[in-house]
């Protein structure tokens, strides 16, 4: 396993070489540092916290929306194709999956649209961005909202989200040449909840005999419950403002809400960290990125250890100075760095 603390390739435990939040993020910390959650603040506070850090990137791409067939109904995707001649053999292809705690998100959010554009442009790759079925907000929440699904479906739970992703993956494999892609160079990646689905889709595809060139889970949620943090992880998280944290209780509620049944009944396709060594042994090379000030770094790091123990090739990278979800921050330099890293792995797949 290559362990890379924002690009230090030692094999020591993951540690940040640049303590503290990045300056542009630190400037906004006063907005949240005294809050217990964003629910305790006016909407304007959340809007200021999530405001763009800079303009959207511009890339010369063809962008097309399609509805694909899936086992639960249509699966919306957005396809990003670089302009220009298709290279001999075709371009690499990335199936990309947005996050949102399995409850939120769409094809327009920066974590979907900006990342798909950025990777397609950087890697000269075809990117297929997937909108999967979402679960409703927990009924215990005040003013809980139903999921914004393609057909207005409610009551969705696992494995419907993964079924949608797999439908999109099967379609992408079958139509790769038509898209100008190389079917032997198909990668699967995603962020947060999408990182879970990317790892699960890679696992399921491998077990189905579909060759995936590279798996790219970014700050993923891979466990049903967060493992205990190591000393260095706990130290990094100790002073992170509460609205930016995933407490064990909040994380478990997200997992139970996604699963829709007791966590004891979960499978490795629900939470890939449940996979045994034999299930993980045949997986493709994995680039797994975690964020310094994110409780989910614990899940990603432990899964990387599992992959290594199973003999799979894994590169673990710590993105320093950022909390969870930095790919959803338009114009943030750290988001550009992560897109650079994803694009490099896709390009050489």
């Amino acid at each position: 396993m290559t362990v890379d603390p924002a690009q230090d390739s030692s094999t020591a435990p993951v540690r940040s070489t640049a303590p503290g939040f990045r300056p542009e993020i630190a400037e906004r910390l006063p907005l949240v540092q005294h809050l217990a959650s964003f629910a305790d603040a006016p909407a304007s506070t959340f809007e200021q916290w999530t405001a763009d850090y800079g303009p959207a990137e511009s890339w010369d791409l063809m962008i097309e929306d399609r509805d694909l067939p899936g086992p639960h109904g249509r699966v919306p995707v957005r396809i990003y194709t670089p302009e220009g001649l298709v290279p001999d053999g075709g371009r690499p292809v990335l199936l990309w999956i947005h996050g949102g705690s399995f409850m939120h998100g769409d094809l327009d959010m920066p974590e979907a649209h900006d990342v798909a554009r950025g990777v397609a442009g950087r890697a000269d790759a075809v990117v297929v961005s997937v909108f999967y079925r979402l679960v409703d907000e927990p009924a215990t929440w005040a003013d809980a909202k139903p999921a914004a699904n393609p057909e207005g479906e409610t009551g969705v739970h696992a494995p419907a989200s993964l079924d949608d992703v797999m439908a999109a993956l099967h379609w992408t494999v079958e139509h790769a040449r038509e898209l100008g892609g190389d079917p032997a160079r198909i990668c699967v990646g995603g962020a947060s909840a999408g990182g879970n689905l990317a790892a699960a889709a890679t696992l399921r595809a491998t077990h189905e005999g579909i060759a995936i060139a590279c798996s790219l889970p970014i700050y993923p949620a891979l466990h049903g419950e967060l493992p205990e943090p190591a000393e260095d992880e706990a130290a990094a998280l100790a002073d992170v403002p509460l609205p930016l944290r995933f407490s064990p209780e909040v994380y478990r509620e997200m997992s139970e809400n996604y699963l829709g049944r007791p966590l004891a009944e979960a499978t490795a396709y629900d939470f890939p960290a449940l996979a045994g060594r034999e299930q993980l042994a045949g997986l493709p090379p994995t680039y797994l990125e975690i964020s310094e000030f994110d409780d989910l770094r614990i899940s990603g790091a432990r899964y990387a250890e599992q992959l290594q123990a199973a003999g799979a090739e894994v590169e673990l990278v710590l993105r320093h100075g950022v909390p969870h979800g930095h790919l959803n921050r338009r114009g943030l330099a750290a988001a550009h760095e992560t897109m650079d890293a994803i694009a490099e792995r896709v390009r050489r797949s």
Side-chain angles (χ1 to χ4, degrees):
M1 174 172 64
T2 300
V3 180
D4 185 348
Q7 321 288 336
D8 175 0
S9 58
S10 72
T11 55
V14 178
R15 298 179 187 276
S16 173
T17 56
F21 283 92
R22 297 196 180 203
E24 62 270 38
I25 298 174
E27 288 179 4
R28 300 189 184 186
L29 286 180
L31 292 167
V32 299
Q33 60 188 5
H34 300 302
L35 298 175
S37 72
F38 281 110
D40 300 326
S44 59
T45 298
F46 183 75
E47 292 170 359
Q48 292 175 65
W49 173 254
T50 58
D52 293 350
Y53 286 84
E57 296 180 321
S58 178
W59 295 97
D60 193 14
L61 303 169
M62 296 181 291
I63 302 176
E64 176 189 5
D65 287 338
R66 292 194 189 187
D67 286 330
L68 306 183
H72 308 290
R74 63 187 179 95
V75 180
V77 300
R78 186 169 294 168
I79 303 168
Y80 301 75
T81 307
E83 299 278 6
L85 295 174
V86 176
D88 291 343
R91 293 183 168 97
V93 181
L94 171 65
L95 188 80
W96 179 253
I97 311 157
H98 67 80
S101 298
F102 303 103
M103 297 177 280
H104 307 122
D106 54 40
L107 296 179
D108 295 321
M109 66 191 292
E111 197 174 73
H113 188 55
D114 289 50
V115 173
R117 283 191 305 179
V119 173
R122 285 169 169 81
D124 190 35
V126 177
V127 178
V128 179
S129 181
V130 185
F131 180 76
Y132 52 90
R133 276 166 177 73
L134 305 173
V135 301
D136 303 326
E137 293 179 351
T140 55
W141 288 12
D143 301 321
K145 298 178 180 62
N149 281 319
E151 310 293 348
E153 304 97 323
T154 59
V156 171
H157 292 291
S161 304
L162 181 59
D163 289 344
D164 284 349
V165 170
M166 291 303 298
L169 177 58
H170 285 130
W171 182 90
T172 300
V173 171
E174 293 167 7
H175 294 83
R177 292 290 186 197
E178 172 191 319
L179 299 173
D182 182 347
R185 300 175 68 194
I186 293 177
C187 303
V188 180
S192 192
N196 167 297
L197 293 167
T202 300
L203 190 67
R204 188 160 141 186
T206 301
H207 296 164
E208 291 179 5
I210 300 172
I212 302 299
C214 181
S215 183
L216 302 122
I218 310 298
Y219 45 84
L222 299 167
H223 292 74
E225 295 185 270
L226 279 176
E228 286 295 319
E231 183 178 348
D232 60 318
E233 293 165 339
L237 295 167
D239 296 324
V240 177
L242 291 177
L244 310 183
R245 299 288 304 270
F246 281 86
S247 70
E249 296 76 20
V250 167
Y251 186 92
R252 182 185 176 93
E253 182 180 46
M254 177 188 72
S255 298
E256 290 176 333
N257 190 55
Y258 169 60
L259 192 62
R261 58 188 192 275
L263 288 181
E265 298 179 12
T267 73
Y269 295 153
D270 301 314
F271 299 105
L274 293 174
R277 183 174 298 193
E278 290 184 2
Q279 291 175 288
L280 299 175
L283 292 185
T286 297
Y287 172 82
L288 202 163
E289 184 173 309
I290 55 179
S291 302
E292 184 176 13
F293 300 120
D294 177 13
D295 290 272
L296 270 61
R297 64 179 287 183
I298 306 165
S299 183
R302 298 301 174 276
Y303 187 65
E305 292 169 0
Q306 290 177 244
L307 290 172
Q308 182 188 28
E313 180 184 336
V314 57
E315 179 183 6
L316 177 64
V317 170
L318 176 70
R319 187 64 55 196
H320 74 79
V322 295
H324 185 77
H326 67 275
L327 284 177
N328 212 29
R329 302 292 170 259
R330 181 173 289 126
L332 187 66
H336 295 166
E337 293 168 12
T338 297
M339 286 188 276
D340 290 343
I342 294 170
E344 171 61 24
R345 276 68 182 183
V346 170
R347 187 167 47 243
R348 70 185 192 213
S349 65

PDB file of all heavy atoms in Angstrom, residues 308-340:
ATOM      1  N   GLN A 308      -5.099  -3.934   1.412  1.00  0.00           N
ATOM      2  CA  GLN A 308      -3.685  -4.327   1.458  1.00  0.00           C
ATOM      3  C   GLN A 308      -3.538  -5.744   2.003  1.00  0.00           C
ATOM      4  O   GLN A 308      -2.790  -6.558   1.458  1.00  0.00           O
ATOM      5  CB  GLN A 308      -2.892  -3.350   2.319  1.00  0.00           C
ATOM      6  CG  GLN A 308      -1.400  -3.669   2.385  1.00  0.00           C
ATOM      7  CD  GLN A 308      -0.665  -2.813   3.388  1.00  0.00           C
ATOM      8  OE1 GLN A 308      -1.268  -2.369   4.365  1.00  0.00           O
ATOM      9  NE2 GLN A 308       0.602  -2.573   3.159  1.00  0.00           N
ATOM     10  N   ALA A 309      -4.278  -6.046   3.075  1.00  0.00           N
ATOM     11  CA  ALA A 309      -4.186  -7.383   3.675  1.00  0.00           C
ATOM     12  C   ALA A 309      -4.658  -8.461   2.711  1.00  0.00           C
ATOM     13  O   ALA A 309      -4.195  -9.609   2.783  1.00  0.00           O
ATOM     14  CB  ALA A 309      -4.999  -7.430   4.963  1.00  0.00           C
ATOM     15  N   ALA A 310      -5.574  -8.091   1.809  1.00  0.00           N
ATOM     16  CA  ALA A 310      -6.092  -9.052   0.828  1.00  0.00           C
ATOM     17  C   ALA A 310      -5.200  -9.172  -0.397  1.00  0.00           C
ATOM     18  O   ALA A 310      -5.479  -9.968  -1.299  1.00  0.00           O
ATOM     19  CB  ALA A 310      -7.499  -8.643   0.400  1.00  0.00           C
ATOM     20  N   GLY A 311      -4.129  -8.386  -0.447  1.00  0.00           N
ATOM     21  CA  GLY A 311      -3.205  -8.447  -1.567  1.00  0.00           C
ATOM     22  C   GLY A 311      -3.599  -7.578  -2.740  1.00  0.00           C
ATOM     23  O   GLY A 311      -2.994  -7.659  -3.817  1.00  0.00           O
ATOM     24  N   ALA A 312      -4.611  -6.717  -2.554  1.00  0.00           N
ATOM     25  CA  ALA A 312      -5.021  -5.813  -3.628  1.00  0.00           C
ATOM     26  C   ALA A 312      -4.100  -4.599  -3.655  1.00  0.00           C
ATOM     27  O   ALA A 312      -3.555  -4.186  -2.628  1.00  0.00           O
ATOM     28  CB  ALA A 312      -6.471  -5.372  -3.430  1.00  0.00           C
ATOM     29  N   GLU A 313      -3.965  -4.015  -4.826  1.00  0.00           N
ATOM     30  CA  GLU A 313      -3.138  -2.819  -4.973  1.00  0.00           C
ATOM     31  C   GLU A 313      -3.937  -1.598  -4.555  1.00  0.00           C
ATOM     32  O   GLU A 313      -5.017  -1.337  -5.080  1.00  0.00           O
ATOM     33  CB  GLU A 313      -2.695  -2.675  -6.435  1.00  0.00           C
ATOM     34  CG  GLU A 313      -1.824  -1.448  -6.701  1.00  0.00           C
ATOM     35  CD  GLU A 313      -1.486  -1.292  -8.171  1.00  0.00           C
ATOM     36  OE1 GLU A 313      -1.522  -2.315  -8.895  1.00  0.00           O
ATOM     37  OE2 GLU A 313      -1.225  -0.155  -8.605  1.00  0.00           O
ATOM     38  N   VAL A 314      -3.427  -0.847  -3.582  1.00  0.00           N
ATOM     39  CA  VAL A 314      -4.164   0.316  -3.084  1.00  0.00           C
ATOM     40  C   VAL A 314      -3.198   1.463  -2.818  1.00  0.00           C
ATOM     41  O   VAL A 314      -2.105   1.260  -2.284  1.00  0.00           O
ATOM     42  CB  VAL A 314      -4.967  -0.024  -1.815  1.00  0.00           C
ATOM     43  CG1 VAL A 314      -4.092  -0.578  -0.715  1.00  0.00           C
ATOM     44  CG2 VAL A 314      -5.742   1.199  -1.313  1.00  0.00           C
ATOM     45  N   GLU A 315      -3.603   2.643  -3.208  1.00  0.00           N
ATOM     46  CA  GLU A 315      -2.866   3.874  -2.932  1.00  0.00           C
ATOM     47  C   GLU A 315      -3.762   4.749  -2.061  1.00  0.00           C
ATOM     48  O   GLU A 315      -4.853   5.144  -2.472  1.00  0.00           O
ATOM     49  CB  GLU A 315      -2.530   4.600  -4.231  1.00  0.00           C
ATOM     50  CG  GLU A 315      -1.778   5.910  -4.030  1.00  0.00           C
ATOM     51  CD  GLU A 315      -1.519   6.632  -5.347  1.00  0.00           C
ATOM     52  OE1 GLU A 315      -2.022   6.179  -6.389  1.00  0.00           O
ATOM     53  OE2 GLU A 315      -0.841   7.669  -5.313  1.00  0.00           O
ATOM     54  N   LEU A 316      -3.322   5.027  -0.840  1.00  0.00           N
ATOM     55  CA  LEU A 316      -4.086   5.831   0.102  1.00  0.00           C
ATOM     56  C   LEU A 316      -3.473   7.219   0.186  1.00  0.00           C
ATOM     57  O   LEU A 316      -2.292   7.369   0.484  1.00  0.00           O
ATOM     58  CB  LEU A 316      -4.085   5.172   1.480  1.00  0.00           C
ATOM     59  CG  LEU A 316      -4.795   5.938   2.604  1.00  0.00           C
ATOM     60  CD1 LEU A 316      -6.285   6.081   2.317  1.00  0.00           C
ATOM     61  CD2 LEU A 316      -4.559   5.249   3.942  1.00  0.00           C
ATOM     62  N   VAL A 317      -4.282   8.233  -0.056  1.00  0.00           N
ATOM     63  CA  VAL A 317      -3.802   9.622  -0.053  1.00  0.00           C
ATOM     64  C   VAL A 317      -4.601  10.433   0.949  1.00  0.00           C
ATOM     65  O   VAL A 317      -5.841  10.378   0.964  1.00  0.00           O
ATOM     66  CB  VAL A 317      -3.914  10.246  -1.456  1.00  0.00           C
ATOM     67  CG1 VAL A 317      -3.662  11.744  -1.412  1.00  0.00           C
ATOM     68  CG2 VAL A 317      -2.928   9.587  -2.411  1.00  0.00           C
ATOM     69  N   LEU A 318      -3.910  11.187   1.781  1.00  0.00           N
ATOM     70  CA  LEU A 318      -4.530  12.119   2.703  1.00  0.00           C
ATOM     71  C   LEU A 318      -4.464  13.516   2.099  1.00  0.00           C
ATOM     72  O   LEU A 318      -3.373  14.029   1.834  1.00  0.00           O
ATOM     73  CB  LEU A 318      -3.794  12.094   4.042  1.00  0.00           C
ATOM     74  CG  LEU A 318      -4.278  13.089   5.098  1.00  0.00           C
ATOM     75  CD1 LEU A 318      -5.654  12.698   5.610  1.00  0.00           C
ATOM     76  CD2 LEU A 318      -3.286  13.176   6.250  1.00  0.00           C
ATOM     77  N   ARG A 319      -5.631  14.111   1.871  1.00  0.00           N
ATOM     78  CA  ARG A 319      -5.679  15.491   1.362  1.00  0.00           C
ATOM     79  C   ARG A 319      -5.681  16.426   2.567  1.00  0.00           C
ATOM     80  O   ARG A 319      -6.635  16.483   3.326  1.00  0.00           O
ATOM     81  CB  ARG A 319      -6.939  15.691   0.510  1.00  0.00           C
ATOM     82  CG  ARG A 319      -7.002  17.027  -0.198  1.00  0.00           C
ATOM     83  CD  ARG A 319      -5.911  17.212  -1.219  1.00  0.00           C
ATOM     84  NE  ARG A 319      -5.896  16.133  -2.204  1.00  0.00           N
ATOM     85  CZ  ARG A 319      -4.882  15.882  -3.014  1.00  0.00           C
ATOM     86  NH1 ARG A 319      -3.769  16.613  -2.953  1.00  0.00           N
ATOM     87  NH2 ARG A 319      -4.944  14.881  -3.879  1.00  0.00           N
ATOM     88  N   HIS A 320      -4.586  17.143   2.770  1.00  0.00           N
ATOM     89  CA  HIS A 320      -4.424  17.902   4.004  1.00  0.00           C
ATOM     90  C   HIS A 320      -5.243  19.194   4.003  1.00  0.00           C
ATOM     91  O   HIS A 320      -5.572  19.763   2.970  1.00  0.00           O
ATOM     92  CB  HIS A 320      -2.939  18.215   4.254  1.00  0.00           C
ATOM     93  CG  HIS A 320      -2.377  19.283   3.350  1.00  0.00           C
ATOM     94  ND1 HIS A 320      -2.590  20.623   3.567  1.00  0.00           N
ATOM     95  CD2 HIS A 320      -1.594  19.196   2.246  1.00  0.00           C
ATOM     96  CE1 HIS A 320      -1.971  21.326   2.624  1.00  0.00           C
ATOM     97  NE2 HIS A 320      -1.377  20.489   1.815  1.00  0.00           N
ATOM     98  N   GLY A 321      -5.610  19.613   5.193  1.00  0.00           N
ATOM     99  CA  GLY A 321      -6.192  20.934   5.392  1.00  0.00           C
ATOM    100  C   GLY A 321      -7.646  21.094   5.042  1.00  0.00           C
ATOM    101  O   GLY A 321      -8.149  22.224   5.025  1.00  0.00           O
ATOM    102  N   VAL A 322      -8.361  19.979   4.771  1.00  0.00           N
ATOM    103  CA  VAL A 322      -9.749  20.107   4.312  1.00  0.00           C
ATOM    104  C   VAL A 322     -10.675  19.231   5.150  1.00  0.00           C
ATOM    105  O   VAL A 322     -10.289  18.166   5.617  1.00  0.00           O
ATOM    106  CB  VAL A 322      -9.899  19.736   2.824  1.00  0.00           C
ATOM    107  CG1 VAL A 322      -9.143  20.727   1.943  1.00  0.00           C
ATOM    108  CG2 VAL A 322      -9.423  18.318   2.551  1.00  0.00           C
ATOM    109  N   PRO A 323     -11.942  19.672   5.320  1.00  0.00           N
ATOM    110  CA  PRO A 323     -12.959  18.831   5.937  1.00  0.00           C
ATOM    111  C   PRO A 323     -13.628  17.967   4.886  1.00  0.00           C
ATOM    112  O   PRO A 323     -13.232  17.964   3.714  1.00  0.00           O
ATOM    113  CB  PRO A 323     -13.936  19.865   6.513  1.00  0.00           C
ATOM    114  CG  PRO A 323     -13.873  20.997   5.529  1.00  0.00           C
ATOM    115  CD  PRO A 323     -12.443  21.028   5.023  1.00  0.00           C
ATOM    116  N   HIS A 324     -14.674  17.283   5.308  1.00  0.00           N
ATOM    117  CA  HIS A 324     -15.422  16.431   4.393  1.00  0.00           C
ATOM    118  C   HIS A 324     -16.051  17.253   3.266  1.00  0.00           C
ATOM    119  O   HIS A 324     -16.508  18.372   3.466  1.00  0.00           O
ATOM    120  CB  HIS A 324     -16.527  15.701   5.164  1.00  0.00           C
ATOM    121  CG  HIS A 324     -17.278  14.705   4.343  1.00  0.00           C
ATOM    122  ND1 HIS A 324     -16.761  13.467   4.036  1.00  0.00           N
ATOM    123  CD2 HIS A 324     -18.500  14.749   3.752  1.00  0.00           C
ATOM    124  CE1 HIS A 324     -17.629  12.797   3.317  1.00  0.00           C
ATOM    125  NE2 HIS A 324     -18.697  13.554   3.114  1.00  0.00           N
ATOM    126  N   GLY A 325     -16.073  16.679   2.059  1.00  0.00           N
ATOM    127  CA  GLY A 325     -16.843  17.256   0.967  1.00  0.00           C
ATOM    128  C   GLY A 325     -16.170  18.341   0.163  1.00  0.00           C
ATOM    129  O   GLY A 325     -16.855  19.121  -0.501  1.00  0.00           O
ATOM    130  N   HIS A 326     -14.834  18.388   0.137  1.00  0.00           N
ATOM    131  CA  HIS A 326     -14.191  19.519  -0.537  1.00  0.00           C
ATOM    132  C   HIS A 326     -14.426  19.524  -2.046  1.00  0.00           C
ATOM    133  O   HIS A 326     -14.327  20.579  -2.674  1.00  0.00           O
ATOM    134  CB  HIS A 326     -12.697  19.567  -0.213  1.00  0.00           C
ATOM    135  CG  HIS A 326     -11.889  18.442  -0.770  1.00  0.00           C
ATOM    136  ND1 HIS A 326     -11.755  17.225  -0.131  1.00  0.00           N
ATOM    137  CD2 HIS A 326     -11.164  18.344  -1.913  1.00  0.00           C
ATOM    138  CE1 HIS A 326     -10.974  16.440  -0.854  1.00  0.00           C
ATOM    139  NE2 HIS A 326     -10.604  17.079  -1.944  1.00  0.00           N
ATOM    140  N   LEU A 327     -14.744  18.372  -2.650  1.00  0.00           N
ATOM    141  CA  LEU A 327     -15.049  18.370  -4.086  1.00  0.00           C
ATOM    142  C   LEU A 327     -16.351  19.101  -4.397  1.00  0.00           C
ATOM    143  O   LEU A 327     -16.610  19.433  -5.560  1.00  0.00           O
ATOM    144  CB  LEU A 327     -15.139  16.938  -4.622  1.00  0.00           C
ATOM    145  CG  LEU A 327     -13.821  16.205  -4.832  1.00  0.00           C
ATOM    146  CD1 LEU A 327     -14.079  14.781  -5.299  1.00  0.00           C
ATOM    147  CD2 LEU A 327     -12.927  16.938  -5.834  1.00  0.00           C
ATOM    148  N   ASN A 328     -17.148  19.365  -3.383  1.00  0.00           N
ATOM    149  CA  ASN A 328     -18.397  20.095  -3.587  1.00  0.00           C
ATOM    150  C   ASN A 328     -18.224  21.596  -3.370  1.00  0.00           C
ATOM    151  O   ASN A 328     -19.215  22.320  -3.268  1.00  0.00           O
ATOM    152  CB  ASN A 328     -19.490  19.568  -2.649  1.00  0.00           C
ATOM    153  CG  ASN A 328     -20.871  19.650  -3.258  1.00  0.00           C
ATOM    154  OD1 ASN A 328     -21.051  19.572  -4.474  1.00  0.00           O
ATOM    155  ND2 ASN A 328     -21.874  19.831  -2.415  1.00  0.00           N
ATOM    156  N   ARG A 329     -16.982  22.067  -3.328  1.00  0.00           N
ATOM    157  CA  ARG A 329     -16.683  23.475  -3.137  1.00  0.00           C
ATOM    158  C   ARG A 329     -16.047  24.029  -4.412  1.00  0.00           C
ATOM    159  O   ARG A 329     -14.858  23.867  -4.655  1.00  0.00           O
ATOM    160  CB  ARG A 329     -15.755  23.668  -1.939  1.00  0.00           C
ATOM    161  CG  ARG A 329     -16.316  23.114  -0.646  1.00  0.00           C
ATOM    162  CD  ARG A 329     -17.530  23.908  -0.160  1.00  0.00           C
ATOM    163  NE  ARG A 329     -18.187  23.225   0.956  1.00  0.00           N
ATOM    164  CZ  ARG A 329     -19.288  22.504   0.848  1.00  0.00           C
ATOM    165  NH1 ARG A 329     -19.878  22.351  -0.336  1.00  0.00           N
ATOM    166  NH2 ARG A 329     -19.829  21.927   1.897  1.00  0.00           N
ATOM    167  N   ARG A 330     -16.866  24.636  -5.223  1.00  0.00           N
ATOM    168  CA  ARG A 330     -16.410  25.157  -6.521  1.00  0.00           C
ATOM    169  C   ARG A 330     -15.290  26.178  -6.317  1.00  0.00           C
ATOM    170  O   ARG A 330     -15.392  27.090  -5.498  1.00  0.00           O
ATOM    171  CB  ARG A 330     -17.573  25.797  -7.260  1.00  0.00           C
ATOM    172  CG  ARG A 330     -17.229  26.344  -8.631  1.00  0.00           C
ATOM    173  CD  ARG A 330     -18.454  26.794  -9.369  1.00  0.00           C
ATOM    174  NE  ARG A 330     -19.267  25.656  -9.798  1.00  0.00           N
ATOM    175  CZ  ARG A 330     -20.570  25.514  -9.521  1.00  0.00           C
ATOM    176  NH1 ARG A 330     -21.199  26.431  -8.815  1.00  0.00           N
ATOM    177  NH2 ARG A 330     -21.218  24.442  -9.948  1.00  0.00           N
ATOM    178  N   GLY A 331     -14.204  25.998  -7.070  1.00  0.00           N
ATOM    179  CA  GLY A 331     -13.098  26.941  -7.034  1.00  0.00           C
ATOM    180  C   GLY A 331     -12.085  26.695  -5.942  1.00  0.00           C
ATOM    181  O   GLY A 331     -11.069  27.400  -5.880  1.00  0.00           O
ATOM    182  N   LEU A 332     -12.300  25.732  -5.077  1.00  0.00           N
ATOM    183  CA  LEU A 332     -11.358  25.441  -4.005  1.00  0.00           C
ATOM    184  C   LEU A 332     -10.121  24.753  -4.578  1.00  0.00           C
ATOM    185  O   LEU A 332     -10.235  23.778  -5.328  1.00  0.00           O
ATOM    186  CB  LEU A 332     -12.026  24.551  -2.958  1.00  0.00           C
ATOM    187  CG  LEU A 332     -11.236  24.276  -1.675  1.00  0.00           C
ATOM    188  CD1 LEU A 332     -11.044  25.542  -0.867  1.00  0.00           C
ATOM    189  CD2 LEU A 332     -11.955  23.217  -0.826  1.00  0.00           C
ATOM    190  N   ALA A 333      -8.951  25.239  -4.204  1.00  0.00           N
ATOM    191  CA  ALA A 333      -7.712  24.689  -4.763  1.00  0.00           C
ATOM    192  C   ALA A 333      -7.572  23.199  -4.453  1.00  0.00           C
ATOM    193  O   ALA A 333      -7.107  22.418  -5.294  1.00  0.00           O
ATOM    194  CB  ALA A 333      -6.511  25.459  -4.211  1.00  0.00           C
ATOM    195  N   ALA A 334      -7.986  22.789  -3.254  1.00  0.00           N
ATOM    196  CA  ALA A 334      -7.881  21.374  -2.895  1.00  0.00           C
ATOM    197  C   ALA A 334      -8.752  20.506  -3.789  1.00  0.00           C
ATOM    198  O   ALA A 334      -8.398  19.362  -4.095  1.00  0.00           O
ATOM    199  CB  ALA A 334      -8.276  21.170  -1.431  1.00  0.00           C
ATOM    200  N   ALA A 335      -9.894  21.025  -4.222  1.00  0.00           N
ATOM    201  CA  ALA A 335     -10.741  20.274  -5.150  1.00  0.00           C
ATOM    202  C   ALA A 335     -10.032  20.091  -6.481  1.00  0.00           C
ATOM    203  O   ALA A 335     -10.092  19.012  -7.091  1.00  0.00           O
ATOM    204  CB  ALA A 335     -12.071  20.991  -5.348  1.00  0.00           C
ATOM    205  N   HIS A 336      -9.339  21.114  -6.938  1.00  0.00           N
ATOM    206  CA  HIS A 336      -8.577  20.999  -8.186  1.00  0.00           C
ATOM    207  C   HIS A 336      -7.468  19.963  -8.034  1.00  0.00           C
ATOM    208  O   HIS A 336      -7.187  19.189  -8.958  1.00  0.00           O
ATOM    209  CB  HIS A 336      -7.998  22.347  -8.574  1.00  0.00           C
ATOM    210  CG  HIS A 336      -9.042  23.376  -8.897  1.00  0.00           C
ATOM    211  ND1 HIS A 336      -8.754  24.712  -8.990  1.00  0.00           N
ATOM    212  CD2 HIS A 336     -10.372  23.260  -9.140  1.00  0.00           C
ATOM    213  CE1 HIS A 336      -9.865  25.376  -9.289  1.00  0.00           C
ATOM    214  NE2 HIS A 336     -10.851  24.514  -9.367  1.00  0.00           N
ATOM    215  N   GLU A 337      -6.819  19.928  -6.873  1.00  0.00           N
ATOM    216  CA  GLU A 337      -5.761  18.944  -6.640  1.00  0.00           C
ATOM    217  C   GLU A 337      -6.315  17.524  -6.703  1.00  0.00           C
ATOM    218  O   GLU A 337      -5.682  16.619  -7.274  1.00  0.00           O
ATOM    219  CB  GLU A 337      -5.115  19.197  -5.269  1.00  0.00           C
ATOM    220  CG  GLU A 337      -4.343  20.503  -5.185  1.00  0.00           C
ATOM    221  CD  GLU A 337      -3.980  20.858  -3.747  1.00  0.00           C
ATOM    222  OE1 GLU A 337      -4.124  19.985  -2.863  1.00  0.00           O
ATOM    223  OE2 GLU A 337      -3.567  22.003  -3.510  1.00  0.00           O
ATOM    224  N   THR A 338      -7.478  17.328  -6.093  1.00  0.00           N
ATOM    225  CA  THR A 338      -8.074  15.993  -6.119  1.00  0.00           C
ATOM    226  C   THR A 338      -8.501  15.614  -7.532  1.00  0.00           C
ATOM    227  O   THR A 338      -8.318  14.466  -7.960  1.00  0.00           O
ATOM    228  CB  THR A 338      -9.263  15.930  -5.151  1.00  0.00           C
ATOM    229  OG1 THR A 338      -8.782  16.162  -3.822  1.00  0.00           O
ATOM    230  CG2 THR A 338      -9.944  14.568  -5.194  1.00  0.00           C
ATOM    231  N   MET A 339      -9.052  16.568  -8.294  1.00  0.00           N
ATOM    232  CA  MET A 339      -9.388  16.280  -9.689  1.00  0.00           C
ATOM    233  C   MET A 339      -8.131  15.945 -10.496  1.00  0.00           C
ATOM    234  O   MET A 339      -8.164  15.056 -11.356  1.00  0.00           O
ATOM    235  CB  MET A 339     -10.149  17.449 -10.310  1.00  0.00           C
ATOM    236  CG  MET A 339     -11.590  17.551  -9.836  1.00  0.00           C
ATOM    237  SD  MET A 339     -12.561  18.788 -10.736  1.00  0.00           S
ATOM    238  CE  MET A 339     -12.129  20.279  -9.835  1.00  0.00           C
ATOM    239  N   ASP A 340      -7.040  16.641 -10.215  1.00  0.00           N
ATOM    240  CA  ASP A 340      -5.766  16.313 -10.870  1.00  0.00           C
ATOM    241  C   ASP A 340      -5.393  14.854 -10.591  1.00  0.00           C
ATOM    242  O   ASP A 340      -4.970  14.117 -11.489  1.00  0.00           O
ATOM    243  CB  ASP A 340      -4.636  17.219 -10.359  1.00  0.00           C
ATOM    244  CG  ASP A 340      -4.752  18.661 -10.823  1.00  0.00           C
ATOM    245  OD1 ASP A 340      -5.501  18.943 -11.785  1.00  0.00           O
ATOM    246  OD2 ASP A 340      -4.083  19.524 -10.214  1.00  0.00           O
TER     247      ASP A 340
END
